[in-house]
Amino acid sequence: MLNRRLATSLIALGLAGLAVAGCADQAAAVRVNDRTMSRSDFEEHLDLVYENDDLRGAVFAPVDRSVLRPDDAPEGTYTQAYVGEMASFLAWVMAMQQVLDDEGIEITDDDREPVREELAEVVGDLDDLPAGPRDEYVDYIAGFRRLSDELGGNVEVQAAIEAVLIEADVSVSSRYGSWDPDTLRVTPPPGPRGDGGTGSFVG
């Protein structure tokens, strides 16, 4: 069973209420200062978390697929709320990497191995997952743990990451939404539905 600390490391951040973006760098899906993620890599994350129920439950929280894509929606289509949440998560990954750099902390294989073992108990052989997203999740959880130990707890880590995001140049492709620096949230792209983020994004 997944270690409680592993499960709460991400849930403590309230991922469903976070976000990313801006309108600037159209070549990247998400950018935090000099760190970027391409559109293809971003959409690989969307596809993997949608398709893998075990991974979704372990890294985020148990959520029915219909929340991410309505049952009658075509393949490659996702709700704007899901797209915004994933953009948020990846912005937090980048911001946390900045905190690690600022603290002079390097994630080692000794940090990664317990996370890999715990995830493997839930999702099976990690080598069956795409390497890019898999390594992002492992490093994020391992990094969050290291920072929690160094800074004194999850609340302190969250505050440090928020401080980076507040000061950083954060942007998201306008294809996915826009960044609200006051709320640190993604707002959905303008569209005819006006449904507050439950409309569809087509990858």
Side-chain angles (χ1 to χ4, degrees):
M1 188 169 182
L2 189 64
N3 183 291
R4 179 180 297 275
R5 188 178 180 192
L6 171 59
T8 58
S9 291
L10 296 183
I11 295 170
L13 299 182
L15 287 177
L18 303 178
V20 173
C23 201
D25 187 0
Q26 297 303 308
V30 181
R31 177 170 61 84
V32 178
N33 291 332
D34 294 333
R35 291 181 166 89
T36 63
M37 173 164 285
S38 70
R39 287 181 176 176
S40 61
D41 287 346
F42 177 71
E43 292 174 15
E44 185 176 32
H45 280 270
L46 291 173
D47 293 340
L48 175 61
V49 172
Y50 172 79
E51 292 165 1
N52 194 306
D53 295 337
D54 292 333
L55 179 67
R56 183 170 65 255
V59 176
F60 297 97
V63 175
D64 190 85
R65 285 188 182 192
S66 63
V67 175
L68 313 182
R69 176 194 297 166
D71 293 336
D72 59 351
E75 183 176 353
T77 300
Y78 299 109
T79 63
Q80 292 172 344
Y82 171 44
V83 172
E85 179 179 342
M86 183 58 72
S88 301
F89 168 67
L90 294 170
W92 276 68
V93 169
M94 295 177 195
M96 192 201 70
Q97 290 168 343
Q98 182 63 57
V99 176
L100 287 167
D101 287 350
D102 292 344
E103 296 291 328
I105 298 172
E106 182 176 352
I107 301 304
T108 68
D109 288 341
D110 287 341
D111 298 316
R112 296 182 180 99
E113 190 56 31
V115 177
R116 290 181 60 88
E117 291 175 358
E118 291 166 21
L119 281 176
E121 290 179 10
V122 177
V123 304
D125 189 350
L126 296 187
D127 290 337
D128 292 339
L129 302 178
R134 177 200 66 208
D135 293 344
E136 290 277 4
Y137 301 143
V138 169
D139 279 9
Y140 181 78
I141 297 169
F144 192 95
R145 287 180 170 184
R146 279 290 304 276
L147 284 173
S148 183
D149 291 340
E150 295 289 337
L151 300 181
N154 289 357
V155 173
E156 288 75 12
V157 179
Q158 180 170 342
I161 296 173
E162 286 178 348
V164 168
L165 288 173
I166 288 169
E167 296 296 328
D169 181 7
V170 183
S171 68
V172 69
S173 169
S174 57
R175 178 182 181 85
Y176 309 125
S178 60
W179 172 245
D180 183 343
D182 294 327
T183 62
L184 300 182
R185 293 183 64 91
V186 157
T187 58
R193 294 186 61 174
D195 52 16
T198 59
S200 295
F201 158 81
V202 181

